[in-house]
Amino acid sequence: MAADLLSGTASAMARAVAGGECSAVQLLDAALTAIDSGNQTLRCFTDLTLERARTEAAAVDAARSAGRPLGPLAGVPYGVKNLFDLAGVVTRAGSLINRDNPAARSDAFAVSQLVAAGAVCVGAQNMGEYAYDFTGENAHDGDCRNPHDLAHMAGGSSSGPAAAVAAAMVPFSLGTDTNGSIRVPSSYCGLFGLKPSFGRLSRRGAFPFCASLDHIGPLARSVEDLTLIYNALLGADPLDPAQDARPASAIDFASLADEPPLRIAVAGGYFRERCDPVALQAVDAMARSLSVSEQCELPQAARARAAAFVITASEAAGLHLTRLRERAADFDPMMRDRLLAGAMAPVSWVMQAQRFRRWYQLRLAELFRHFDVILAPATPTTALAIGQQTVQLDGESVPARQAIGPFTQPISFAGLPVVTVPYWPAGSGLPIGVQVIAAPWREDHALQVAQQLQQSGVSRVRIAKPYSLSGSSDA
Amino acid sequence: MADVKQSFDPHVLIAPAAGLLELTIEPQWENAIGTNLAMMAQAAALVGSFPLPDEMESALLFRPL
């Protein structure tokens, strides 16, 4: 029973626990068995919090036995990208250097919210070093592999969080997204992922990458799960200086289907160039399913990506400057060289990029007066092969690492909420994602359209099993 | 992306910038740092070539507590 549930959704697990069909301890045991069997191959988890998980699961079961009310995620096992603080665990942030830090004294704000919702934390997950990564490769903890095809990347930087959900180890994970780090691995591993509006959810206790652009959010197997987890993560945190002060209401998933239709367009121009035909096939399939025929243009998207690149490199370099001075040789070489270059960038480049960001924000606000939701590819291709150096796009050879995030960067640069929805091209062994992009603060619109796509069947999650080349099955 | 002036050689910047920032750069790292600096210069040139009105403020914001 518990093992079967582990391939399903978090919502179904919470219902099973609340209904007494399965205990939280049984679910935890099933999750630990799955992790034990697949982690050596996939490298999803870097730290297991066994004692904590057993305590949390037992508390849920005790509360149910005593007839006390249960939280909305009671008994549901999950993992967090290893940049989130977990009390008693060293927050490694994908690095070697941070392992010398003392263990975190308390949980990250988001983890505390999940504790309050009754979820059971089983551990911390692999990621690209300091989140500066789209591949899921990690020089210190090993490369996280795509459970649908082990020769391919899981995508990064939330690689472990994505692979663990796709491989049925846990039904959801907590990740972060600065330039695409939830949306890229969601696309590569075929999951639903939510990057909320910039400033919506507290980032306190999540090791930073680039404060101007950092977001947190969930990766899961259904839109209902994303909504449930998002609601649990909501909460005012006066200690996060980036959190927006406007009140945020929980989203009623059941009523999304009754909301009036939204004005939807497909992103044209930049978002239909330099990508594999399969990326456009995915977007067009979603558009057909929604009877969308209109296209729109996000102005200066290429410049937005360039500006995000400049801000990211220089801001991250500022964050790591002391470590670059004292322990440069201990960085993953790919990260170190980018950070050193970022440290040397003139400030005027960064200030111009930040001024351009204001201009871009104002233009997109005009665009959202005409549309509620915009569809765009999440990645230009399905998951690249691990170690792949170049990719052919529109007849041009492009360095692989530059061919992963071109469609996510211009969206997070504007702080827009996005749900990535998975698509399985006919006959393909690998999925690809589509971004469902809404106006700032309208997570409900992105979730509403994502739910329509899931309900129609055009978007669905498949569970990889069992991390061999034996294929995948619907969740 | 916009072209950066041909005269720009990122490698010329590395040693003086490293000195200013008190960074130690191993010789075998220089090529990759130069490549990354050149990419940043291309991106910055693309952004910088876009005309913005003087009153367009930075998206950085500070709120007094």
Side-chain angles (χ1 to χ4, degrees):
Chain A
M1 175 70 187
D4 293 340
L5 280 169
L6 201 62
S7 298
T9 64
S11 313
M13 288 184 208
R15 282 192 291 270
V17 169
E21 299 158 42
C22 178
S23 74
V25 168
Q26 286 171 325
L27 273 179
L28 171 62
D29 286 340
L32 294 177
T33 300
I35 293 166
D36 188 49
S37 114
N39 203 49
Q40 189 68 23
T41 304
L42 295 176
R43 299 187 186 278
C44 298
F45 280 85
T46 53
D47 307 83
L48 291 179
T49 50
L50 296 178
E51 192 178 332
R52 172 194 181 125
R54 295 220 174 276
T55 302
E56 289 179 342
V60 167
D61 290 337
R64 188 184 177 278
S65 297
R68 292 197 296 273
L70 298 179
L73 289 165
V76 178
Y78 71 99
V80 301
K81 187 174 183 175
N82 69 25
L83 55 62
F84 285 97
D85 283 350
L86 295 174
V89 176
V90 174
T91 308
R92 61 175 84 191
S95 71
L96 182 67
I97 295 169
N98 282 32
R99 288 178 212 189
D100 292 343
N101 293 345
R105 294 172 63 179
S106 57
D107 289 340
F109 181 88
V111 175
S112 302
Q113 296 294 98
L114 295 174
V115 169
V120 174
C121 182
V122 299
Q125 296 159 319
N126 202 357
M127 58 178 283
E129 186 178 54
Y130 291 126
Y132 204 170
D133 167 60
F134 279 139
T135 67
E137 296 170 358
N138 185 298
H140 315 299
D141 289 308
D143 301 339
C144 186
R145 294 179 179 276
N146 192 312
H148 298 293
D149 187 334
L150 298 179
H152 288 253
M153 299 173 181
S157 62
S158 306
S159 49
V165 176
M169 293 177 176
V170 286
F172 80 90
S173 299
L174 204 52
T176 60
D177 188 317
T178 301
N179 285 297
S181 285
I182 287 173
R183 292 162 289 159
V184 166
S186 293
S187 177
Y188 277 13
C189 290
L191 301 173
F192 292 97
L194 169 63
K195 184 204 77 63
S197 306
F198 180 78
R200 177 67 100 190
L201 300 178
S202 171
R203 309 176 303 189
R204 179 160 56 91
F207 193 84
F209 169 23
C210 169
S212 289
L213 297 165
D214 288 344
H215 307 66
I216 72 157
L219 301 90
R221 299 191 193 127
S222 77
V223 181
E224 182 178 12
D225 285 3
L226 286 186
T227 310
L228 194 63
I229 301 156
Y230 169 76
N231 288 342
L233 293 172
L234 286 175
D237 179 9
L239 297 179
D240 178 356
Q243 193 181 36
D244 194 81
R246 75 195 70 202
S249 305
I251 294 169
D252 179 9
F253 176 77
S255 71
L256 286 179
D258 302 325
E259 294 295 327
L262 298 171
R263 300 165 300 168
I264 307 171
V266 169
Y270 173 89
F271 290 91
R272 296 188 75 83
E273 297 162 1
R274 290 165 69 93
C275 62
D276 194 276
V278 77
L280 300 182
Q281 182 192 329
V283 173
D284 294 345
M286 303 289 171
R288 268 196 309 279
S289 165
L290 296 163
S291 302
V292 169
S293 56
E294 215 160 343
Q295 274 203 13
C296 68
E297 190 92 23
L298 276 71
Q300 301 296 331
R303 279 193 167 88
R305 183 194 183 200
F309 174 67
V310 170
I311 291 169
T312 301
S314 54
E315 212 174 287
L319 174 71
H320 291 290
L321 195 56
T322 302
R323 281 177 282 273
L324 288 168
R325 282 184 184 130
E326 296 174 355
R327 298 188 60 176
D330 289 334
F331 280 81
D332 180 327
M334 294 292 289
M335 314 299 156
R336 180 196 59 222
D337 299 338
R338 279 191 278 173
L339 289 169
L340 286 169
M344 296 172 185
V347 171
S348 56
W349 289 358
V350 185
M351 295 314 297
Q352 193 68 3
Q354 288 284 8
R355 291 180 66 232
F356 176 78
R357 192 182 190 194
R358 180 73 68 205
W359 178 91
Y360 185 66
Q361 174 191 37
L362 295 171
R363 296 292 88 75
L364 289 194
E366 285 173 15
L367 188 63
F368 279 108
R369 280 204 278 273
H370 303 285
F371 302 103
D372 301 304
V373 162
I374 297 168
L375 305 176
T379 51
T381 66
T382 56
L384 301 178
I386 290 175
Q388 186 171 340
Q389 295 300 310
T390 59
V391 58
Q392 289 289 322
L393 295 176
D394 287 354
E396 191 183 334
S397 180
V398 179
R401 284 171 186 264
Q402 292 172 35
I404 303 177
F407 299 142
T408 52
Q409 285 179 283
I411 307 304
S412 34
F413 186 61
L416 306 174
V418 186
V419 173
T420 302
V421 299
Y423 176 77
W424 283 86
S428 171
L430 285 168
I432 191 165
V434 171
Q435 295 183 91
V436 179
I437 305 157
W441 318 115
R442 296 315 305 256
E443 285 81 1
D444 56 330
H445 283 174
L447 289 163
Q448 178 184 333
V449 172
Q451 167 60 4
Q452 280 178 259
L453 292 166
Q454 181 185 243
Q455 204 156 27
S456 72
V458 68
S459 179
R460 67 186 193 283
V461 166
R462 288 184 191 173
I463 297 297
K465 57 180 186 183
Y467 339 126
S468 63
L469 301 180
S470 60
S472 309
S473 66
D474 288 345
Chain B
M1 289 198 177
D3 285 334
V4 179
K5 285 182 183 168
Q6 293 293 323
S7 57
F8 175 67
D9 177 1
H11 293 89
V12 174
L13 185 64
I14 293 174
L20 182 67
L21 294 163
E22 300 175 60
L23 294 165
T24 304
I25 307 293
E26 299 293 336
Q28 64 271 26
W29 302 349
E30 285 188 17
N31 269 344
I33 295 169
T35 302
N36 279 291
L37 260 175
M39 283 171 56
M40 280 191 81
Q42 290 280 358
L46 181 63
V47 177
S49 66
F50 188 74
L52 291 171
D54 288 342
E55 60 273 18
M56 190 60 64
E57 290 195 17
S58 160
L60 289 167
L61 182 64
F62 172 80
R63 296 187 199 90
L65 295 173

